[in-house]
């Protein structure tokens, strides 16, 4: 039960300019989110982000936005609906010829996504992150929550979310756990780069 970089996608939930000042221990939370995104880039892991009601809460933090492959806006607390097309693009319909089976005899195209593991972190842990993670679990994604890159306005709310997420089947990890599991050993070409990020 270790993370494999080539099976992962990183999702960053609502690290927004007007929200971060209200988050408990915000500088550390944001720093770890940035480390995660930087490590994802080293391993060619896609990085997706959401913004909750960006006209009110602002854009993604300037230190994080350039590291994201795509940022999607949302109004619902869960970002699962907006993220699904990014996490699992639709399977292209097979091109047939005159000898192809009739449509009613063809099997539906339901290939599993290339990267079935979602590594997720964000704010607020007990609202937007929790609801996104639970909906992704329900959609049969393998969900890993990076606890030291998550935040809420209060520790009690954050910790209650961790209890619920673990009980629902999410794996709880830390930024360093993700980095070292993606590396696997000290001979990996990115070892020194990851080590520099976590020092």
């Amino acid at each position: 039960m270790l993370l494999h970089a080539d099976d992962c996608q990183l999702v960053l939930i609502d690290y927004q300019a007007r929200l971060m000042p209200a988050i408990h221990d915000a500088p550390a939370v944001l720093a770890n989110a940035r480390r995660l995104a930087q490590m994802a880039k080293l391993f060619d892991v896609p990085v997706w982000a959401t913004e909750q009601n960006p006209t009110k809460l602002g854009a993604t933090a300037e230190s994080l936005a350039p590291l994201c492959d795509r940022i999607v806006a949302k109004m619902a607390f869960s970002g699962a609906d907006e993220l699904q097309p990014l996490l699992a693009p639709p399977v292209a319909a097979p091109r047939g010829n005159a000898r192809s089976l009739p449509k009613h005899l063809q099997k539906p195209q339901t290939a599993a996504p290339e990267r079935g593991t979602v590594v997720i972190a964000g704010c607020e842990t007990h609202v937007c992150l929790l609801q996104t993670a639970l909906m992704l679990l329900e959609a049969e994604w393998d969900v890993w929550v990076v606890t030291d890159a998550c935040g809420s306005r209060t520790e009690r709310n954050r910790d209650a979310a961790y209890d619920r997420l673990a009980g629902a089947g999410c794996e709880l990890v830390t930024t360093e756990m993700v980095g070292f599991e993606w590396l696997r050993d000290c001979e990996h070409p990115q070892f020194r780069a990851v080590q520099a990020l976590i020092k």
Side-chain angles (χ1 to χ4, degrees):
M1 287 284 302
L2 295 174
L3 288 167
H4 298 269
D6 59 2
D7 186 47
C8 289
Q9 302 185 63
L10 177 62
V11 170
L12 302 173
I13 303 291
D14 304 351
Y15 291 93
Q16 291 166 260
R18 292 184 201 142
L19 177 61
M20 293 312 296
I23 298 299
H24 173 77
D25 205 14
V29 167
L30 189 55
N32 283 324
R34 182 170 164 74
R35 281 187 195 95
L36 277 173
Q38 289 171 314
M39 289 189 296
K41 292 299 179 192
L42 293 174
F43 293 96
D44 296 318
V45 171
V47 181
W48 315 114
T50 64
E51 292 175 349
Q52 175 69 30
N53 192 4
T55 57
K56 300 286 186 192
L57 294 176
T60 299
E62 287 181 12
S63 63
L64 208 52
L67 298 167
C68 299
D69 294 305
R70 179 111 179 254
I71 300 171
V72 294
K74 64 186 178 68
M75 295 302 285
F77 298 125
S78 169
D81 288 343
E82 290 78 8
L83 290 164
Q84 259 329 2
L86 303 175
L87 296 171
V91 178
R95 295 180 176 249
N97 57 37
R99 295 182 182 164
S100 295
L101 286 172
K103 278 191 175 182
H104 71 281
L105 294 177
Q106 293 176 9
K107 292 182 179 176
Q109 298 296 308
T110 56
E114 287 183 24
R115 295 174 175 266
T117 301
V118 175
V119 176
I120 189 170
C123 304
E124 287 203 66
T125 312
H126 64 297
V127 183
C128 294
L129 180 125
L130 175 85
Q131 291 186 32
T132 303
L134 292 178
M135 289 185 74
L136 290 174
L137 269 180
E138 191 174 22
E140 299 188 1
W141 291 91
D142 189 13
V143 180
W144 296 58
V145 178
V146 188
T147 57
D148 61 348
C150 291
S152 292
R153 284 164 294 147
T154 68
E155 291 178 274
R156 181 174 292 233
N157 279 325
R158 183 200 62 200
D159 295 346
Y162 294 154
D163 290 343
R164 189 164 170 204
L165 289 161
C170 292
E171 293 285 339
L172 302 186
V173 292
T174 65
T175 301
E176 286 194 26
M177 291 165 76
V178 172
F180 283 105
E181 289 181 31
W182 283 348
L183 281 170
R184 282 297 201 272
D185 64 61
C186 65
E187 294 179 321
H188 192 287
Q190 298 294 2
F191 175 71
R192 290 197 182 281
V194 170
Q195 194 176 38
L197 287 172
I198 62 175
K199 280 189 173 180

